Amino acid sequence: MVVLCLSYLFFLSSIWAQNLVNAIDSSQAEINRIRFVAKFPPEKGVVQEGIFDRIGEFLFGKQQEPVLSKPISIIASNPESYWVLDQGLGVLLNIKDNVGEIPRSFKKKYSSLVGLCVSADSVCFYTDSRLNKIFELNVGKDEMTEFKPSTELFQPTGLAYSRINDELWVVETAAHRISVFNREGKLIRQIGKRGELPGEFNYPTFIWIDKAGVVYIVDSMNFRIQILNSDGGVITVFGEIGDATGYFSRPKGIATDSFGNIYVVDALFHAVQIFDKNGNLLYHFGKQGREDGQFWLPTGIFIDDNDYIYVADSYNSRVQVFQLINGQTNDSIKD
């Protein structure tokens, strides 16, 4: 009975929050800046033969599995070529020209994949929060190894790679801190502790580093975003818990576009909210549903160099791709 009551309350709060987050005035020019481009799988239920066979062979015996189960993180070059970390399947998938493929170096299913990033020399790093480990895949050689940090990790989740300093930034959710390593795994610095002050965290999760080396961290249970410089100093903090637009309910993935605007996925709102550098709400897109441009408990987000936006639509078992048009299209997402 308690479980049923809690589930009902969660459902009601989700609907209430969603109604409020969609109450933003759709006549605003900014809302016309986001255009739906594509999704993977292209149609629900479409299974690519190659990936299906390989999932069955390497991971699940002869048991059939969908192309995507619970995508959680994405990195991308362009809409025709990107990588998806799938927590449900426990694998990293390369999506290329609408065909998914598992690297041959993957020989097992991982228990709790969360974070994904790529270095300047095309090495993919990803975390398993349950194993407390980081792994790396050399894409060119299709070789997978374990990243060996010089200190013990406590529930590593979000990952981001700084090309400015050639550093790997690791969110340690259970330790309420960020650890920064060089490519050899040597600890350079640790940032934060549990708390509510700027520079302190309460179960942080996702992270993003822009081209200038500025770091954006989702301070999940403080329901806010912290922006740091490349040395870990706090630049600004914004956000608070709430059920209306501009607030956070279940903040997840984070990314920035070429204009410096900040995109934050909120799972309970089933939407992406966009803020300026000062934390002012600009607009949002998405609502709960299964149609194009709608989401069901989305998680990760990635924005490539050409402002294509990739959203891990986790409970719809798909990735949706959008394009930032800069206000010059009639082909936009409308609530």
Side-chain angles (χ1 to χ4, degrees):
M1 179 64 72
V2 173
V3 173
L4 288 174
C5 289
L6 289 175
S7 299
Y8 181 66
L9 288 173
F10 179 86
F11 173 78
L12 286 179
S13 64
S14 175
I15 296 297
W16 182 37
Q18 185 57 50
N19 287 337
L20 286 169
V21 83
N22 282 307
I24 190 167
D25 183 4
S26 61
S27 66
Q28 293 181 16
E30 292 90 348
I31 202 69
N32 293 325
R33 295 174 66 179
I34 305 298
R35 181 174 69 90
F36 173 81
V37 173
K39 60 187 174 185
F40 183 84
E43 296 295 337
K44 187 177 180 182
V46 173
V47 178
Q48 301 292 342
E49 186 70 20
I51 190 174
F52 168 79
D53 290 341
R54 297 195 62 193
I55 290 175
E57 179 181 354
F58 290 110
L59 303 175
F60 306 103
K62 299 300 180 181
Q63 181 181 359
Q64 297 185 1
E65 293 289 336
V67 172
L68 293 178
S69 173
K70 187 183 176 184
I72 191 165
S73 292
I74 306 166
I75 53 175
S77 300
N78 56 68
E80 286 73 46
S81 179
Y82 52 94
W83 293 82
V84 180
L85 204 62
D86 194 299
Q87 194 175 76
L89 296 176
V91 299
L92 177 64
L93 300 139
N94 183 210
I95 311 301
K96 192 169 185 179
D97 297 324
N98 271 337
V99 176
E101 186 175 8
I102 302 172
R104 295 186 181 277
S105 53
F106 269 74
K107 301 297 182 183
K108 67 175 184 178
K109 176 179 178 179
Y110 290 86
S111 58
S112 185
L113 298 174
V114 181
L116 176 66
C117 70
V118 64
S119 68
D121 54 349
S122 298
V123 173
C124 289
F125 296 89
Y126 57 96
T127 59
D128 188 308
S129 64
R130 191 167 297 160
L131 295 177
N132 293 314
K133 291 182 178 181
I134 300 172
F135 300 91
E136 51 184 298
L137 172 69
N138 187 312
V139 175
K141 297 180 179 179
D142 198 358
E143 293 178 352
M144 187 186 67
T145 56
E146 183 181 338
F147 181 75
K148 300 282 190 179
S150 59
T151 60
E152 184 180 3
L153 298 174
F154 296 90
Q155 197 181 357
T157 52
L159 278 178
Y161 192 84
S162 173
R163 300 190 179 192
I164 299 294
N165 298 321
D166 210 28
E167 296 172 339
L168 183 65
W169 288 57
V170 183
V171 178
E172 294 185 76
T173 299
H176 312 283
R177 70 187 180 199
I178 316 300
S179 293
V180 183
F181 301 93
N182 65 15
R183 284 297 301 271
E184 289 70 45
K186 180 181 178 181
L187 181 68
I188 298 173
R189 72 183 75 87
Q190 289 181 323
I191 304 161
K193 61 179 182 179
R194 191 170 193 180
E196 298 179 353
L197 296 176
E200 298 177 346
F201 302 98
N202 189 17
Y203 294 103
T205 50
F206 289 87
I207 183 172
W208 173 270
I209 300 179
D210 68 19
K211 290 182 178 180
V214 178
V215 183
Y216 305 80
I217 299 169
V218 179
D219 189 4
S220 296
M221 297 310 294
N222 278 329
F223 303 94
R224 64 186 183 183
I225 306 302
Q226 297 206 49
I227 304 177
L228 313 180
N229 62 29
S230 58
D231 294 322
V234 177
I235 298 175
T236 189
V237 178
F238 71 89
E240 59 183 302
I241 189 172
D243 291 309
T245 29
Y247 293 86
F248 296 122
S249 183
R250 293 294 183 271
K252 299 290 184 180
I254 188 167
T256 59
D257 63 22
S258 62
F259 299 94
N261 296 322
I262 305 161
Y263 294 59
V264 183
V265 175
D266 199 298
L268 193 57
F269 287 161
H270 311 283
V272 179
Q273 297 192 88
I274 297 93
F275 303 84
D276 66 17
K277 297 176 182 179
N278 298 314
N280 300 307
L281 179 70
L282 298 176
Y283 54 103
H284 81 282
F285 65 94
K287 62 180 180 180
Q288 187 171 11
R290 298 181 181 273
E291 301 300 320
D292 295 347
Q294 299 177 349
F295 306 109
W296 184 18
L297 296 175
T299 308
I301 188 170
F302 186 90
I303 302 177
D304 69 20
D305 292 341
N306 294 310
D307 286 330
Y308 283 95
I309 304 158
Y310 308 76
V311 180
D313 190 5
S314 298
Y315 279 77
N316 278 327
S317 299
R318 65 186 180 182
V319 170
Q320 294 197 65
V321 184
F322 304 87
Q323 185 181 17
L324 177 63
I325 303 297
N326 196 20
Q328 300 298 320
T329 180
N330 294 320
D331 208 9
S332 59
I333 296 294
K334 296 288 179 92
D335 292 332

